[in-house]
Amino acid sequence: MKRDMKAWLEALRDAPVKKAMPVLSFPAVQLMGITVRELISSAEAQAEAMELVAKRTDAAASVSLMDLSVEAECFGSEIRFSDEEVPTVVGSIVTTEEEARALEVPAVGAGRTGLCVEAIRKATERITDRPVFAGVIGPFSLAARLMDVTEAMVLCYDEPDMVHILLEKSTRFITEYCRAFKEAGANGVVIAEPVAGLLSPALEEEFSAPYIKQIVDAVQDDSFLVIYHNCGGAVIRQIDSILSTGAAAYHFGNAIDMAEMMPHIPADTVAMGNVDPAGEFRGGTPESIRAATHKVMESCREYPNFVISSGCDIPPLSRWENIDAFFAAVAEFYAR
């Protein structure tokens, strides 16, 4: 469903009582009685999962799976699948500049990307009371998975040309993937660039931000927004470069204090975060998540452009009583 997304974001920012916008999709497996493996293998299951979450929660938007293995799989990476956990990339497929140059950029539709696009198409037909965002990986995070995440940090120093070759190819693919989601009816994408959060500010400025900006410039408009997500611990030191990407909004993980981040965010720009997904949604209790949610919201109370969220993707086996408690805590905070 096409929307004026610029107006939607402005309304979210200016609302005195704001809806939460957690990255919430995988826990739908519990509502459906299926495994994570079954969820990621079916467009129909993914669309149903998003619909069920939308019916159960009063979230500001519906956000699809944050499965950061999908794009790497298209390039040929080996993926480890599980019934209970989000898929992960195993090993590397590029170790030299020659291999980087020889690596082919797959067409959108390869691997599970076609299935994910179809899931968004189905979801946008069923969820009409709020925007629908697809999930994609960021260019440095994709390139790092192709090289091996641990090696990527070293290669930025030792083999920068190789890294830039992979970044160019990653960016080209992600841009076309975003365009496919846009054509399928998505109102935007959440682009996850967590590995860039491990870089120094200078390396992030060279190896991540310019490539994110290319994607934003290619796909973002009034009807399609890019929300930048980074759950790394270095994002406050990187923030000037991150803001230069031009993304419509920003989402940060619980490795940082949102109250320390918010002074760096322009007053007209929305920033979201950051209740601990593993420690609270997965491992906490309704009482602890209520306290954690109120703590973040209280610390950011003076910033009208702050929107409460999870710090990252909420794990599949997070208890729904905790998720429900999060939304109840948000409503309670605004009712005080």
Side-chain angles (χ1 to χ4, degrees), residues 75 92-106 143-144 146-147 155 159-170 172:
F75 278 87
S92 65
I93 60 171
V94 175
T95 57
T96 66
E97 184 175 330
E98 291 70 25
E99 290 176 347
R101 293 187 184 280
L103 187 68
E104 293 188 7
V105 178
L146 302 179
M147 294 180 282
L155 291 169
E159 299 286 347
D161 290 345
M162 182 183 101
V163 178
H164 281 296
I165 290 167
L166 288 178
L167 282 166
E168 186 277 325
K169 294 185 176 186
S170 296
R172 200 188 326 161

Side-chain angles (χ1 to χ4, degrees), residues 23-44:
V23 183
L24 171 60
S25 55
F26 274 107
V29 294
Q30 299 172 63
L31 304 177
M32 300 167 71
I34 64 174
T35 65
V36 170
R37 194 189 304 261
E38 290 170 319
L39 178 64
I40 65 170
S41 303
S42 165
E44 174 60 31

Side-chain angles (χ1 to χ4, degrees), residues 43-236:
E44 174 60 31
Q46 290 180 33
E48 182 183 348
M50 294 176 70
E51 183 182 18
L52 287 172
V53 171
K55 287 180 177 178
R56 177 143 179 166
T57 71
D58 191 29
S62 174
V63 182
S64 74
L65 307 183
M66 190 178 280
D67 179 351
L68 304 188
S69 71
V70 171
E71 295 88 347
E73 184 181 30
C74 289
F75 278 87
S77 293
E78 179 186 350
I79 309 299
R80 179 182 294 118
F81 296 98
S82 164
D83 285 342
E84 298 184 347
E85 301 294 338
V86 177
T88 56
V89 177
V90 180
S92 65
I93 60 171
V94 175
T95 57
T96 66
E97 184 175 330
E98 291 70 25
E99 290 176 347
R101 293 187 184 280
L103 187 68
E104 293 188 7
V105 178
V108 173
R112 288 174 285 141
T113 56
L115 182 152
C116 293
V117 171
E118 181 59 22
I120 289 295
R121 191 184 310 279
K122 290 174 178 288
T124 57
E125 293 171 353
R126 303 175 190 184
I127 302 169
T128 57
D129 65 340
R130 68 198 75 182
V132 173
F133 284 84
V136 300
I137 197 171
F140 186 76
S141 297
L142 174 54
R145 280 163 172 78
L146 302 179
M147 294 180 282
D148 183 82
V149 170
T150 305
E151 287 294 316
M153 308 300 143
V154 177
L155 291 169
C156 286
Y157 292 102
D158 293 350
E159 299 286 347
D161 290 345
M162 182 183 101
V163 178
H164 281 296
I165 290 167
L166 288 178
L167 282 166
E168 186 277 325
K169 294 185 176 186
S170 296
T171 300
R172 200 188 326 161
F173 177 76
I174 294 165
T175 300
E176 292 307 313
Y177 196 22
C178 290
R179 285 180 172 139
F181 280 127
K182 189 175 187 178
E183 187 176 331
N187 303 113
V189 291
V190 177
I191 185 164
E193 186 72 315
V195 186
L198 303 175
L199 298 173
S200 70
L203 289 180
E204 187 280 332
E205 187 173 1
E206 177 180 357
F207 291 102
S208 177
Y211 295 97
I212 293 280
K213 188 176 190 306
Q214 285 183 39
I215 298 168
V216 171
D217 289 347
V219 303
Q220 183 167 269
D221 56 32
D222 286 352
S223 66
F224 190 87
L225 304 184
V226 176
I227 298 177
Y228 172 96
H229 165 77
N230 190 328
C231 51
V235 289
I236 295 177

